[in-house]
PDB file of all heavy atoms in Angstrom:
ATOM      1  N   ASP A 993      79.285-107.109 151.887  1.00  0.00           N
ATOM      2  CA  ASP A 993      78.892-108.267 151.083  1.00  0.00           C
ATOM      3  C   ASP A 993      77.528-108.794 151.518  1.00  0.00           C
ATOM      4  O   ASP A 993      76.704-109.189 150.727  1.00  0.00           O
ATOM      5  CB  ASP A 993      79.981-109.374 151.226  1.00  0.00           C
ATOM      6  CG  ASP A 993      81.254-108.963 150.577  1.00  0.00           C
ATOM      7  OD1 ASP A 993      81.215-108.072 149.690  1.00  0.00           O
ATOM      8  OD2 ASP A 993      82.312-109.569 150.899  1.00  0.00           O
ATOM      9  N   SER A 994      77.344-108.798 152.877  1.00  0.00           N
ATOM     10  CA  SER A 994      76.041-109.273 153.353  1.00  0.00           C
ATOM     11  C   SER A 994      74.890-108.421 152.930  1.00  0.00           C
ATOM     12  O   SER A 994      73.843-108.889 152.517  1.00  0.00           O
ATOM     13  CB  SER A 994      76.112-109.406 154.893  1.00  0.00           C
ATOM     14  OG  SER A 994      74.862-109.786 155.408  1.00  0.00           O
ATOM     15  N   SER A 995      75.102-107.096 153.015  1.00  0.00           N
ATOM     16  CA  SER A 995      74.058-106.159 152.586  1.00  0.00           C
ATOM     17  C   SER A 995      73.766-106.297 151.117  1.00  0.00           C
ATOM     18  O   SER A 995      72.640-106.210 150.662  1.00  0.00           O
ATOM     19  CB  SER A 995      74.432-104.725 152.964  1.00  0.00           C
ATOM     20  OG  SER A 995      75.647-104.363 152.306  1.00  0.00           O
ATOM     21  N   THR A 996      74.838-106.419 150.326  1.00  0.00           N
ATOM     22  CA  THR A 996      74.670-106.622 148.856  1.00  0.00           C
ATOM     23  C   THR A 996      73.904-107.892 148.514  1.00  0.00           C
ATOM     24  O   THR A 996      72.987-107.896 147.685  1.00  0.00           O
ATOM     25  CB  THR A 996      76.030-106.642 148.190  1.00  0.00           C
ATOM     26  OG1 THR A 996      76.751-105.469 148.473  1.00  0.00           O
ATOM     27  CG2 THR A 996      75.870-106.784 146.657  1.00  0.00           C
ATOM     28  N   SER A 997      74.200-108.955 149.260  1.00  0.00           N
ATOM     29  CA  SER A 997      73.488-110.221 149.057  1.00  0.00           C
ATOM     30  C   SER A 997      72.009-110.080 149.456  1.00  0.00           C
ATOM     31  O   SER A 997      71.126-110.576 148.788  1.00  0.00           O
ATOM     32  CB  SER A 997      74.126-111.311 149.911  1.00  0.00           C
ATOM     33  OG  SER A 997      73.422-112.503 149.796  1.00  0.00           O
ATOM     34  N   ASN A 998      71.772-109.358 150.574  1.00  0.00           N
ATOM     35  CA  ASN A 998      70.393-109.121 150.964  1.00  0.00           C
ATOM     36  C   ASN A 998      69.614-108.307 149.979  1.00  0.00           C
ATOM     37  O   ASN A 998      68.442-108.573 149.657  1.00  0.00           O
ATOM     38  CB  ASN A 998      70.337-108.426 152.342  1.00  0.00           C
ATOM     39  CG  ASN A 998      70.838-109.371 153.454  1.00  0.00           C
ATOM     40  OD1 ASN A 998      70.727-110.569 153.346  1.00  0.00           O
ATOM     41  ND2 ASN A 998      71.360-108.781 154.542  1.00  0.00           N
ATOM     42  N   ASP A 999      70.287-107.314 149.363  1.00  0.00           N
ATOM     43  CA  ASP A 999      69.636-106.476 148.366  1.00  0.00           C
ATOM     44  C   ASP A 999      69.302-107.329 147.138  1.00  0.00           C
ATOM     45  O   ASP A 999      68.209-107.236 146.580  1.00  0.00           O
ATOM     46  CB  ASP A 999      70.565-105.322 147.965  1.00  0.00           C
ATOM     47  CG  ASP A 999      70.725-104.305 149.064  1.00  0.00           C
ATOM     48  OD1 ASP A 999      69.864-104.297 149.969  1.00  0.00           O
ATOM     49  OD2 ASP A 999      71.713-103.544 149.051  1.00  0.00           O
ATOM     50  N   ALA A1000      70.194-108.220 146.723  1.00  0.00           N
ATOM     51  CA  ALA A1000      69.961-109.075 145.608  1.00  0.00           C
ATOM     52  C   ALA A1000      68.817-110.038 145.892  1.00  0.00           C
ATOM     53  O   ALA A1000      67.928-110.299 145.010  1.00  0.00           O
ATOM     54  CB  ALA A1000      71.235-109.867 145.203  1.00  0.00           C
ATOM     55  N   THR A1001      68.769-110.577 147.107  1.00  0.00           N
ATOM     56  CA  THR A1001      67.707-111.476 147.463  1.00  0.00           C
ATOM     57  C   THR A1001      66.375-110.781 147.506  1.00  0.00           C
ATOM     58  O   THR A1001      65.361-111.302 147.095  1.00  0.00           O
ATOM     59  CB  THR A1001      68.008-112.073 148.854  1.00  0.00           C
ATOM     60  OG1 THR A1001      69.309-112.710 148.798  1.00  0.00           O
ATOM     61  CG2 THR A1001      66.957-113.114 149.175  1.00  0.00           C
ATOM     62  N   SER A1002      66.382-109.564 148.003  1.00  0.00           N
ATOM     63  CA  SER A1002      65.107-108.768 148.063  1.00  0.00           C
ATOM     64  C   SER A1002      64.635-108.352 146.693  1.00  0.00           C
ATOM     65  O   SER A1002      63.449-108.189 146.462  1.00  0.00           O
ATOM     66  CB  SER A1002      65.267-107.555 148.960  1.00  0.00           C
ATOM     67  OG  SER A1002      66.256-106.682 148.457  1.00  0.00           O
ATOM     68  N   LYS A1003      65.599-108.128 145.774  1.00  0.00           N
ATOM     69  CA  LYS A1003      65.240-107.713 144.438  1.00  0.00           C
ATOM     70  C   LYS A1003      64.670-108.906 143.594  1.00  0.00           C
ATOM     71  O   LYS A1003      63.886-108.669 142.704  1.00  0.00           O
ATOM     72  CB  LYS A1003      66.415-107.101 143.702  1.00  0.00           C
ATOM     73  CG  LYS A1003      66.835-105.728 144.224  1.00  0.00           C
ATOM     74  CD  LYS A1003      68.036-105.207 143.505  1.00  0.00           C
ATOM     75  CE  LYS A1003      68.447-103.845 144.030  1.00  0.00           C
ATOM     76  NZ  LYS A1003      69.665-103.338 143.340  1.00  0.00           N
ATOM     77  N   LYS A1004      65.082-110.099 143.908  1.00  0.00           N
ATOM     78  CA  LYS A1004      64.666-111.253 143.121  1.00  0.00           C
ATOM     79  C   LYS A1004      63.169-111.455 143.091  1.00  0.00           C
ATOM     80  O   LYS A1004      62.563-111.628 142.045  1.00  0.00           O
ATOM     81  CB  LYS A1004      65.380-112.509 143.617  1.00  0.00           C
ATOM     82  CG  LYS A1004      65.162-113.715 142.681  1.00  0.00           C
ATOM     83  CD  LYS A1004      65.991-114.890 143.159  1.00  0.00           C
ATOM     84  CE  LYS A1004      65.773-116.099 142.218  1.00  0.00           C
ATOM     85  NZ  LYS A1004      66.553-117.274 142.616  1.00  0.00           N
ATOM     86  N   PRO A1005      62.494-111.459 144.292  1.00  0.00           N
ATOM     87  CA  PRO A1005      61.040-111.574 144.242  1.00  0.00           C
ATOM     88  C   PRO A1005      60.341-110.469 143.433  1.00  0.00           C
ATOM     89  O   PRO A1005      59.382-110.677 142.759  1.00  0.00           O
ATOM     90  CB  PRO A1005      60.597-111.542 145.741  1.00  0.00           C
ATOM     91  CG  PRO A1005      61.836-111.970 146.493  1.00  0.00           C
ATOM     92  CD  PRO A1005      62.996-111.404 145.668  1.00  0.00           C
ATOM     93  N   THR A1006      60.887-109.235 143.552  1.00  0.00           N
ATOM     94  CA  THR A1006      60.374-108.147 142.754  1.00  0.00           C
ATOM     95  C   THR A1006      60.480-108.432 141.295  1.00  0.00           C
ATOM     96  O   THR A1006      59.566-108.148 140.491  1.00  0.00           O
ATOM     97  CB  THR A1006      61.087-106.834 143.133  1.00  0.00           C
ATOM     98  OG1 THR A1006      60.956-106.611 144.549  1.00  0.00           O
ATOM     99  CG2 THR A1006      60.430-105.670 142.450  1.00  0.00           C
ATOM    100  N   GLN A1007      61.646-108.919 140.844  1.00  0.00           N
ATOM    101  CA  GLN A1007      61.792-109.248 139.463  1.00  0.00           C
ATOM    102  C   GLN A1007      60.882-110.343 139.038  1.00  0.00           C
ATOM    103  O   GLN A1007      60.318-110.296 137.926  1.00  0.00           O
ATOM    104  CB  GLN A1007      63.294-109.650 139.204  1.00  0.00           C
ATOM    105  CG  GLN A1007      64.274-108.489 139.432  1.00  0.00           C
ATOM    106  CD  GLN A1007      65.741-108.988 139.264  1.00  0.00           C
ATOM    107  OE1 GLN A1007      65.975-110.145 139.222  1.00  0.00           O
ATOM    108  NE2 GLN A1007      66.676-108.042 139.269  1.00  0.00           N
ATOM    109  N   ASP A1008      60.686-111.339 139.858  1.00  0.00           N
ATOM    110  CA  ASP A1008      59.760-112.449 139.541  1.00  0.00           C
ATOM    111  C   ASP A1008      58.348-111.929 139.384  1.00  0.00           C
ATOM    112  O   ASP A1008      57.635-112.307 138.455  1.00  0.00           O
ATOM    113  CB  ASP A1008      59.804-113.536 140.651  1.00  0.00           C
ATOM    114  CG  ASP A1008      61.139-114.264 140.665  1.00  0.00           C
ATOM    115  OD1 ASP A1008      61.846-114.181 139.646  1.00  0.00           O
ATOM    116  OD2 ASP A1008      61.454-114.917 141.679  1.00  0.00           O
ATOM    117  N   ARG A1009      57.938-111.013 140.286  1.00  0.00           N
ATOM    118  CA  ARG A1009      56.569-110.470 140.174  1.00  0.00           C
ATOM    119  C   ARG A1009      56.413-109.653 138.844  1.00  0.00           C
ATOM    120  O   ARG A1009      55.367-109.699 138.229  1.00  0.00           O
ATOM    121  CB  ARG A1009      56.321-109.592 141.372  1.00  0.00           C
ATOM    122  CG  ARG A1009      56.008-110.363 142.669  1.00  0.00           C
ATOM    123  CD  ARG A1009      55.400-109.492 143.685  1.00  0.00           C
ATOM    124  NE  ARG A1009      56.324-108.404 144.102  1.00  0.00           N
ATOM    125  CZ  ARG A1009      57.160-108.520 145.114  1.00  0.00           C
ATOM    126  NH1 ARG A1009      57.256-109.671 145.815  1.00  0.00           N
ATOM    127  NH2 ARG A1009      57.922-107.514 145.438  1.00  0.00           N
TER     128      ARG A1009
END
Side-chain angles (χ1 to χ4, degrees):
D993 292 341
S994 177
S995 62
T996 304
S997 176
N998 291 334
D999 291 341
T1001 305
S1002 61
K1003 289 179 180 178
K1004 187 174 181 180
T1006 304
Q1007 293 175 351
D1008 292 342
R1009 285 195 296 270

